[in-house]
Amino acid sequence: MSRYLIEVKKVKKNFNHKNGLVEIFKNVSLGVKAGDLVALVGPSGSGKSTFLHLLSFLDKPTSGQILFLGKDSKNFNEDEKDEIRRRKISIIFQDNNLLSDFTTMENVIMPLMIRGEDYKSSLIKAKNVLKDVHLSERKNHFPSELSGGEQQRVAVARALITEPELILADEPTGSLDRKTAGEIFSLFLKLKSKNRAIIYAT
């Protein structure tokens, strides 16, 4: 069994563009263990989001290896990748990706419904996680009725409810005020103490 939850070995990523080959990064190696809190720091356009997409198996590296729990992701089929994202990895996207026709509560509870979990116990989990992100009073609001910061907190709650082993967060506090950003970061520290791994771009 690998000592790393996820491991990146000499990964390279290129894109073909009409003006020529664009090299995003090369020879990147990284090992992340349960309980690690890792920041990807860099200016806009430096490849942070691309790197998170590789770690979530939404994209493939040009070369190199990405191992999850010691297994090479090259050997995962699409169903296996979907199952890993359902059970072990949660993603907080930069643009929230909330479902506009569903309330805050429905957006948060959705991952558990997709997994086929019991509705009553899922509802209790959703209420608890909404309390953690200070959105209990917004549970029946639709995304269009929430501020940008509130929408981001819904996205964080949705990621936390599945109790994943790995959380990938793409600038999760970018649209939040300093106080709320601090509260979200405190949540990440709690997860770290529960042996969850968090990788976030900032």
Side-chain angles (χ1 to χ4, degrees):
M1 186 75 171
S2 172
R3 67 192 183 102
Y4 294 114
L5 177 62
I6 194 162
E7 187 174 9
V8 176
K9 293 184 175 181
K10 296 184 178 179
V11 159
K12 178 180 181 179
K13 183 63 182 176
N14 296 335
F15 287 111
N16 289 311
H17 188 268
K18 63 182 180 181
N19 295 326
L21 192 70
V22 179
E23 187 176 73
I24 308 299
F25 41 73
K26 62 180 179 179
N27 203 33
V28 175
S29 295
L30 175 71
V32 178
K33 296 176 285 190
D36 281 352
L37 179 60
V38 179
L40 304 177
V41 182
S44 178
S46 59
K48 302 185 300 294
S49 296
T50 299
F51 191 63
L52 291 178
H53 277 75
L54 295 178
L55 296 181
S56 57
F57 315 122
L58 293 170
D59 197 2
K60 296 177 182 178
T62 303
S63 62
Q65 286 181 294
I66 300 177
L67 290 84
F68 187 74
L69 294 173
K71 296 178 181 178
D72 194 333
S73 62
K74 287 178 183 174
N75 299 323
F76 297 154
N77 61 38
E78 292 306 313
D79 287 341
E80 288 170 323
K81 291 176 186 178
D82 287 343
E83 185 64 13
I84 289 171
R85 284 189 291 266
R86 263 196 299 270
R87 301 280 175 184
K88 299 181 182 296
I89 296 177
S90 277
I91 310 162
I92 304 169
F93 291 102
Q94 200 169 0
D95 58 0
N96 300 318
N97 279 6
L98 299 181
L99 301 168
S100 60
D101 293 335
F102 291 83
T103 65
T104 293
M105 176 66 78
E106 290 166 341
N107 266 283
V108 171
I109 208 171
M110 189 66 68
L112 300 185
M113 295 297 93
I114 291 171
R115 285 191 342 192
E117 296 196 14
D118 175 72
Y119 181 75
K120 286 185 178 179
S121 61
S122 297
L123 200 59
I124 292 169
K125 286 182 182 179
K127 287 178 179 177
N128 288 336
V129 76
L130 283 173
K131 185 178 179 182
D132 286 339
V133 297
H134 306 291
L135 283 176
S136 296
E137 294 180 2
R138 297 284 188 269
K139 65 182 180 181
N140 294 319
H141 286 62
F142 291 94
S144 62
E145 300 170 328
L146 303 173
S147 69
E150 287 171 336
Q151 290 179 32
Q152 188 69 346
R153 280 188 278 159
V154 175
V156 170
R158 184 179 58 187
L160 300 185
I161 197 170
T162 59
E163 300 179 330
E165 294 182 43
L166 174 63
I167 294 171
L168 302 173
D170 195 353
E171 300 194 33
T173 59
S175 61
L176 303 181
D177 60 84
R178 185 179 294 272
K179 180 176 181 291
T180 308
E183 290 168 352
I184 295 300
F185 197 76
S186 294
L187 272 176
F188 285 166
L189 291 176
K190 284 182 187 176
L191 290 166
K192 172 181 164 63
S193 70
K194 293 179 180 178
N195 234 22
R196 313 287 184 204
I198 302 109
I199 303 174
Y200 69 98
T202 184

